[in-house]
Amino acid sequence: MQNSAFKTLTLIAKKNFKKLFLTFSLVLAENGLFLIYPVLAGIAINAIVAGDTLLALSYSCMVLVGWGLGSIRRRVDTQVFTRIYAGLAVSVIMNEKRAAKDESAVIARANLSREFVDFFEQHFPVFFTSVVSIFGSAIMLLFIEFYVGLAVFALLAVFGVLLPKYIAKNDRLYLKLNNQLEREAGRISAGDEHTLNRHYDVLSKLRIRISNREAMSFFIIGASAAAIFSLAIFLLSSNHANAGHIYSVLTYLWTFAISLDDAPRLVEEFSKLKDIGKRVNVELEGDFAKI
């Protein structure tokens, strides 16, 4: 039975709950620390200006703890996710063989199954970090510079309205792209030059279209961020804010803008994963549960 992407991800999460809980707890700790970083940095700047060295040095301790958590998470990630993929690949291959799929399709789908593990290892932490950073920064801005925070939430509302149409277009592009990738091994085996030229030409065009959409999204987000920065600078100048406050506001805005910039790429990854979920037969039974 073919699984949806959500069902497959849920199955993987249930079978590896303890390991995933450990890795994502570290991600949560990292994000919590870096979310309060701009406020602590603002305090440190004002302490430096006031000559309070001891208070300012507390900022260095925060940096050390943050990078220490990041180092531990990266070490744990590799050990957890390589083992999960080893079990998942075997499960996919055996299921596809039982379904009497040809060898090239089995190989292609085993490779595609790696995307589910990549989701947990790479994309989910980025998604989690982006969500925490986007909404965390917006909420913090409401407290420290209300009208800037309000403008940030207004921008999020506009992007939220446009998101479904953007996702639908991405879904169609990844359906076409994965159709081509699934047939790749068979076309290489056939060895016909005309067929190969046509195959890779279609792949190139699809990838260019996806890249062009990402580039346009990047520009739109950048233009929107520039408008909000302009508003913030105008308000901070009018209110004659101190150095620490200015730094905190601008840093939260940078955090918001950089995290929002990850959104188009994450939407693409989810579109890719949804299509793969319709193709790859993952029934996590037997030895996989022991991985």
Side-chain angles (χ1 to χ4, degrees), residues 33-34 36-37 40-41 57-67:
L33 192 62
F34 284 113
I36 62 171
Y37 149 75
L40 295 178
L57 282 173
S58 64
Y59 176 75
S60 301
C61 295
M62 188 276 294
V63 172
L64 178 62
V65 172
W67 258 260

Side-chain angles (χ1 to χ4, degrees), residues 26 30 64-77:
L26 292 170
E30 269 190 286
L64 178 62
V65 172
W67 258 260
L69 282 171
S71 176
I72 294 169
R73 179 179 65 80
R74 283 158 178 79
R75 181 170 182 176
V76 170
D77 278 358

Side-chain angles (χ1 to χ4, degrees), residues 103-164:
E103 188 173 341
S104 63
V106 172
I107 294 170
R109 293 186 178 188
N111 289 332
L112 285 174
S113 70
R114 173 71 211 185
E115 297 291 341
F116 289 107
V117 181
D118 285 346
F119 170 83
F120 283 114
E121 183 175 7
Q122 300 171 20
H123 308 310
F124 185 81
V126 173
F127 170 75
F128 186 84
T129 298
S130 295
V131 170
V132 170
S133 297
I134 288 169
F135 288 98
S137 297
I139 291 168
M140 293 299 289
L141 284 167
L142 279 177
F143 283 105
I144 66 175
E145 198 65 45
F146 178 76
Y147 290 108
V148 176
L150 204 60
V152 166
F153 273 108
L155 180 62
L156 287 175
V158 172
F159 284 152
V161 171
L162 298 175
L163 188 60

Side-chain angles (χ1 to χ4, degrees), residues 74-226:
R74 283 158 178 79
R75 181 170 182 176
V76 170
D77 278 358
T78 302
Q79 296 177 30
V80 168
F81 293 113
T82 52
R83 288 172 181 164
I84 291 175
Y85 176 62
L88 181 62
V90 172
S91 178
V92 170
I93 290 168
M94 297 310 298
N95 287 333
E96 297 295 342
K97 280 184 173 291
R98 281 194 291 268
K101 295 288 171 59
D102 64 82
E103 188 173 341
S104 63
V106 172
I107 294 170
R109 293 186 178 188
N111 289 332
L112 285 174
S113 70
R114 173 71 211 185
E115 297 291 341
F116 289 107
V117 181
D118 285 346
F119 170 83
F120 283 114
E121 183 175 7
Q122 300 171 20
H123 308 310
F124 185 81
V126 173
F127 170 75
F128 186 84
T129 298
S130 295
V131 170
V132 170
S133 297
I134 288 169
F135 288 98
S137 297
I139 291 168
M140 293 299 289
L141 284 167
L142 279 177
F143 283 105
I144 66 175
E145 198 65 45
F146 178 76
Y147 290 108
V148 176
L150 204 60
V152 166
F153 273 108
L155 180 62
L156 287 175
V158 172
F159 284 152
V161 171
L162 298 175
L163 188 60
K165 186 176 179 180
Y166 185 87
I167 290 174
K169 179 66 174 178
N170 272 3
D171 287 349
R172 291 193 293 272
L173 287 172
Y174 275 103
L175 171 65
K176 295 176 182 178
L177 180 64
N178 287 333
N179 280 342
Q180 293 295 317
L181 291 173
E182 197 167 87
R183 298 170 188 144
E184 189 166 70
R187 287 169 176 168
I188 291 172
S189 298
D192 177 72
E193 184 176 357
H194 174 73
T195 301
L196 286 171
N197 281 331
R198 187 172 180 280
H199 169 72
Y200 284 107
D201 181 56
V202 172
L203 278 179
S204 297
K205 287 178 180 177
L206 287 169
R207 284 172 172 148
I208 288 169
R209 287 177 66 185
I210 291 169
S211 177
N212 286 345
R213 283 170 58 76
E214 186 177 351
M216 180 55 68
S217 301
F218 182 84
F219 174 76
I220 291 170
I221 289 170
S224 303

